[in-house]
Amino acid sequence: MVIDVHYHPLTEGWLSEGWWKTISAVYIQALKARGMDMSEEAVRGAVLATFWDPDGSKLVAEMDDAGIDKTVILPMDLAYAYGEPPIPVEEQNKAFARMQEAYPDRIIAFAGVDPRRPDAVGIVERAIGEWGLKGVKIHPGAGFYPDEGAAHRFLGKVCELGAPVLTHTGVWLGKSKPCDPIRLDEPLLDFPDLKIITAHLGRGFERQLCELGVYRPNLATDFSGWQLAARGHYTAFCTALRNALDCFGSGRVFFGTDGPFLRPAMPNKVFVQIIRELPQKAPEGISFTDAEVEAMLGGAAAKWLGLT
């Protein structure tokens, strides 16, 4: 079984104009580095508009092509950083529930809400208790620390609900300091029954995250967003993945894509194949077993998410 634990179905109204201008600038710079000059308008029409998938149908087709059996879909509530989106966050969570209902054997939907929202607890209670969502996505890069104030209390409530959390960790477009995985240490200790998945191997904080993984059995990680490293810096990618496995064990390191944002750079089918070929193609001095690969691609996530 192959499980993508980190995917963001998108439609324009789910995020604000401020966010779309910011992400457009990233694509403009990336394209320029490859000798392609495109305006913001062109990027938004030729690249971003291809991401729109409000009902999950594009995602399922992409999963079929890539050989991915199940995908965890994650809303992004970035309003405190980039402005409120046209479509309210509660309506977005309901849309994610509908996608899960439409594809119950393929899609696992998490809720997404900024813990600082006045009704954040109410939204997540309804999302899990009434709409059937299976976990919670948070993004500290919107400007909060997960071990302080409303965010810490919010994580306690999620623990009471018995839902796992997936949180962004690592340097990113917005505020990176709150995304340091060490800020999860107190919630992990205060709520030992709370399962937390850290996104992107804590990109930029990899060593610290891996050391934390040794001592916190309720902490896991995904390596979504590492496609460019896997292609262009293969030895560094394999080293980071080997370090994560050595610290977390093969039961707590999960495959993810961060789709659709990396789709223009690498189809998911290619990324899956790169992971499958690790035992045969890892650089000298680094090794992966077939059992580790099967666990990373889905076996471990299936257990963590209670699917098996």
Side-chain angles (χ1 to χ4, degrees), residues 189-248:
L189 289 170
D190 292 343
F191 313 119
D193 294 328
L194 178 64
K195 292 182 175 181
I196 298 179
I197 303 169
T198 53
H200 316 307
L201 286 183
R203 193 71 179 263
F205 303 106
E206 298 99 313
R207 187 68 258 169
Q208 186 160 277
L209 172 64
C210 285
E211 295 296 339
L212 196 61
V214 173
Y215 298 101
R216 303 289 176 260
N218 51 333
L219 182 68
T221 192
D222 76 45
F223 52 92
S224 62
W226 280 71
Q227 288 93 316
L228 295 178
R231 184 179 65 192
H233 306 279
Y234 186 64
T235 298
F237 170 69
C238 290
T239 299
L241 204 52
R242 183 69 260 167
N243 287 340
L245 288 167
D246 289 343
C247 291
F248 282 90

Side-chain angles (χ1 to χ4, degrees), residues 91-120:
E91 294 305 312
Q92 294 181 40
N93 279 271
K94 290 178 181 178
F96 275 60
R98 289 192 293 271
M99 281 187 264
Q100 181 176 254
E101 291 170 4
Y103 303 99
D105 297 327
R106 309 297 301 279
I107 287 177
I108 301 162
F110 277 28
V113 60
D114 191 302
R116 294 168 294 178
R117 287 190 179 276
D119 192 30

Side-chain angles (χ1 to χ4, degrees), residues 1-293:
M1 178 183 291
V2 179
I3 300 175
D4 178 356
V5 303
H6 195 131
Y7 192 98
H8 304 284
L10 296 169
T11 197
E12 191 169 17
W14 288 348
L15 290 159
S16 70
E17 178 65 15
W19 164 257
W20 294 123
K21 290 184 74 68
T22 299
I23 197 69
S24 295
V26 172
Y27 283 103
I28 289 169
Q29 287 301 115
L31 290 166
K32 186 176 292 186
R34 289 161 176 77
M36 300 170 62
D37 284 318
M38 291 182 70
S39 66
E40 179 183 330
E41 182 180 11
V43 165
R44 292 177 72 154
V47 180
L48 299 184
T50 67
F51 296 165
W52 306 156
D53 184 23
D55 63 4
S57 57
K58 282 186 180 179
L59 166 59
V60 172
E62 188 175 19
M63 292 167 63
D64 290 340
D65 178 66
I68 295 173
D69 299 290
K70 297 181 184 291
T71 294
V72 178
I73 59 172
L74 308 166
M76 296 192 297
D77 184 3
L78 302 176
Y80 280 67
Y82 295 100
E84 287 287 351
I87 299 173
V89 66
E90 187 157 355
E91 294 305 312
Q92 294 181 40
N93 279 271
K94 290 178 181 178
F96 275 60
R98 289 192 293 271
M99 281 187 264
Q100 181 176 254
E101 291 170 4
Y103 303 99
D105 297 327
R106 309 297 301 279
I107 287 177
I108 301 162
F110 277 28
V113 60
D114 191 302
R116 294 168 294 178
R117 287 190 179 276
D119 192 30
V121 169
I123 291 172
V124 79
E125 285 178 331
R126 292 189 290 277
I128 293 170
E130 297 179 22
W131 311 330
L133 300 181
K134 306 302 183 184
V136 178
K137 169 65 161 56
I138 61 171
H139 206 308
F144 64 87
Y145 290 93
D147 56 354
E148 292 183 356
H152 187 270
R153 294 190 295 273
F154 177 83
L155 291 174
K157 173 55 67 173
V158 175
C159 182
E160 290 177 14
L161 294 169
V165 170
L166 194 149
T167 179
H168 178 91
T169 54
V171 177
W172 87 296
L173 298 174
K175 295 181 179 180
S176 298
K177 189 175 178 181
C179 304
D180 186 334
I182 199 63
R183 303 306 296 245
L184 299 169
D185 192 39
E186 289 186 21
L188 288 163
L189 289 170
D190 292 343
F191 313 119
D193 294 328
L194 178 64
K195 292 182 175 181
I196 298 179
I197 303 169
T198 53
H200 316 307
L201 286 183
R203 193 71 179 263
F205 303 106
E206 298 99 313
R207 187 68 258 169
Q208 186 160 277
L209 172 64
C210 285
E211 295 296 339
L212 196 61
V214 173
Y215 298 101
R216 303 289 176 260
N218 51 333
L219 182 68
T221 192
D222 76 45
F223 52 92
S224 62
W226 280 71
Q227 288 93 316
L228 295 178
R231 184 179 65 192
H233 306 279
Y234 186 64
T235 298
F237 170 69
C238 290
T239 299
L241 204 52
R242 183 69 260 167
N243 287 340
L245 288 167
D246 289 343
C247 291
F248 282 90
S250 60
R252 293 185 285 140
V253 179
F254 309 147
F255 173 79
T257 63
D258 201 21
F261 295 113
L262 275 295
R263 184 193 296 154
M266 179 184 290
N268 291 344
K269 184 176 184 177
V270 175
F271 197 29
V272 170
Q273 190 64 25
I274 287 172
I275 305 307
R276 286 205 181 280
E277 293 176 348
L278 285 171
Q280 293 76 41
K281 294 189 175 181
E284 185 176 356
I286 303 174
S287 63
F288 300 92
T289 67
D290 290 334
E292 287 173 331
V293 167

